[in-house]
C-alpha cells in the first residue's frame, strides 16, 4: 500500500535497508514523529528491530508539497517529521514512543536545543484511535517521570491525527547514513522512561 504519495518522481530505496520508503507492507503500521531536526531522529528509529522503513518529511502545516527552504522560513507551519513503518508484532508502539520521549526534550515548545522554529517542535501524528490513546498514555507517564526528577516544565508535544505527509527532498533521506559525521541535534532530558 502506498501512503500519502506526493512525489511525481519515485524516491530511491532506503539507503540502509534498500526497501521502498513509499510503501507500507501488510500487517505493518505507520506513525509520524517529530523531535527536532529529522536527520538524527530518523537514524534513531531505523536502528530499531521491527522498524521496516523510515523516511523524513514535512507535516502539520498549511502548504501543499513544501520544500525545505520554505519550511525553514517558519511560514508553512510544517514540522520536520519521521515517517516510521513498523511491524507491531516485533516492536510495540510503546517501545517506539519510549525512544521518542527519552531522546529529545519534549518540553521546549518550538525548538530543540539550538534549533529554533516551528519546524523543530515535538509532535506525534497518529493513524488510529489506538495509536492516539497509547501516545497520550505514554505522554502522561513521561510527564510523571520528569516530575519525579524535579523537572517541572510541561510537555508541549502535539498529539493529533496525522495530517498529510510530504516526503522531504532526496538528499535529506537517511542523511546520517550517507554522511555519518553530519549534524545530529538529538538531546534528551536525561530522564529515563519509567
Amino acid at each position: 500500500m502506498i501512503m500519502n504519495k506526493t512525489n511525481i518522481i519515485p524516491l530511491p530505496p532506503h539507503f540502509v535497508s534498500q526497501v521502498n520508503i513509499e510503501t507500507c507492507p501488510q500487517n505493518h503500521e505507520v506513525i509520524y514523529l517529530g523531535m527536532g531536526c529529522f536527520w538524527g531522529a530518523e537514524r534513531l528509529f531505523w536502528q530499531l528491530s521491527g522498524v521496516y522503513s523510515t523516511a523524513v518529511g514535512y507535516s502539520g502545516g498549511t502548504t501543499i508539497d513544501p520544500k525545505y527552504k520554505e519550511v525553514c522560513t517558519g511560514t508553512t507551519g510544517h514540522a520536520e517529521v519521521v515517517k516510521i513503518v513498523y511491524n507491531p508484532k516485533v516492536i510495540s508502539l510503546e517501545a517506539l514512543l519510549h525512544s521518542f520521549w527519552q531522546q529529545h526534550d519534549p518540553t521546549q515548545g518550538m525548538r530543540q536545543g539550538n534549533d529554533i522554529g516551528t519546524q523543530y517542535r515535538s509532535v506525534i501524528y497518529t493513524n488510529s484511535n489506538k495509536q492516539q490513546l497509547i501516545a497520550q498514555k505514554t505522554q502522561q507517564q513521561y510527564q510523571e517521570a520528569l516530575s519525579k526528577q524535579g523537572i517541572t516544565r510541561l510537555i508541549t508535544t502535539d498529539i493529533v491525527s496525522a495530517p498529510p505527509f510530504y516526503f522531504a527532498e532526496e538528499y535529506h533521506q537517511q542523511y546520517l547514513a550517507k554522511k555519518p559525521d553530519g549534524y545530529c541535534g538529538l538531546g534528551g532530558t536525561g530522564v529515563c522512561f519509567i
Side-chain angles (χ1 to χ4, degrees):
M1 166 174 54
I2 294 181
M3 303 287 296
N4 291 332
K5 182 165 174 51
T6 61
N7 301 72
I8 296 170
I9 301 170
L11 288 165
H14 195 283
F15 188 80
V16 177
S17 65
Q18 296 301 304
V19 301
N20 185 335
I21 65 173
E22 298 181 79
T23 62
C24 178
Q26 195 170 18
N27 301 318
H28 284 60
E29 294 184 14
V30 177
I31 194 158
Y32 305 92
L33 303 177
M35 48 198 297
C37 175
F38 49 25
W39 293 344
E42 184 183 22
R43 179 174 61 186
L44 167 70
F45 292 108
W46 83 52
Q47 295 176 350
L48 299 179
S49 179
V51 171
Y52 172 79
S53 72
T54 56
V56 294
Y58 315 111
S59 192
T62 57
T63 60
I64 296 172
D65 202 20
K67 303 301 177 220
Y68 181 70
K69 287 184 179 180
E70 295 171 86
V71 173
C72 287
T73 67
T75 60
T76 69
H78 286 289
E80 292 189 13
V81 299
V82 181
K83 172 189 171 188
I84 302 166
V85 180
Y86 66 99
N87 184 341
K89 292 184 179 177
V90 179
I91 187 167
S92 67
L93 180 57
E94 288 89 347
L96 287 172
L97 292 176
H98 287 190
S99 291
F100 168 82
W101 294 117
Q102 293 176 141
Q103 296 300 320
H104 79 300
D105 184 345
T107 70
Q108 291 191 324
M110 301 297 177
R111 70 182 299 165
Q112 278 299 301
N114 292 329
D115 294 330
I116 300 171
T118 57
Q119 71 270 31
Y120 300 119
R121 68 189 184 273
S122 175
V123 300
I124 300 174
Y125 294 147
T126 62
N127 283 301
S128 69
N129 288 336
K130 182 179 178 183
Q131 285 185 346
Q132 186 90 9
L133 291 172
I134 291 170
Q136 291 167 342
K137 180 180 178 184
T138 59
Q139 178 186 22
Q140 180 181 359
Q141 291 168 336
Y142 197 63
Q143 185 71 68
E144 290 170 4
L146 291 172
S147 296
K148 286 179 183 175
Q149 295 300 315
I151 298 173
T152 58
R153 298 184 307 271
L154 294 178
I155 290 173
T156 59
T157 305
D158 291 333
I159 302 175
V160 297
S161 295
F165 169 82
Y166 303 99
F167 287 97
E169 296 83 346
E170 181 182 336
Y171 71 92
H172 286 298
Q173 303 299 334
Q174 300 84 57
Y175 182 83
L176 292 180
K178 300 169 189 171
K179 298 189 182 293
D181 295 328
Y183 171 77
C184 175
L186 280 188
T189 61
V191 175
C192 292
F193 200 94
I194 297 175

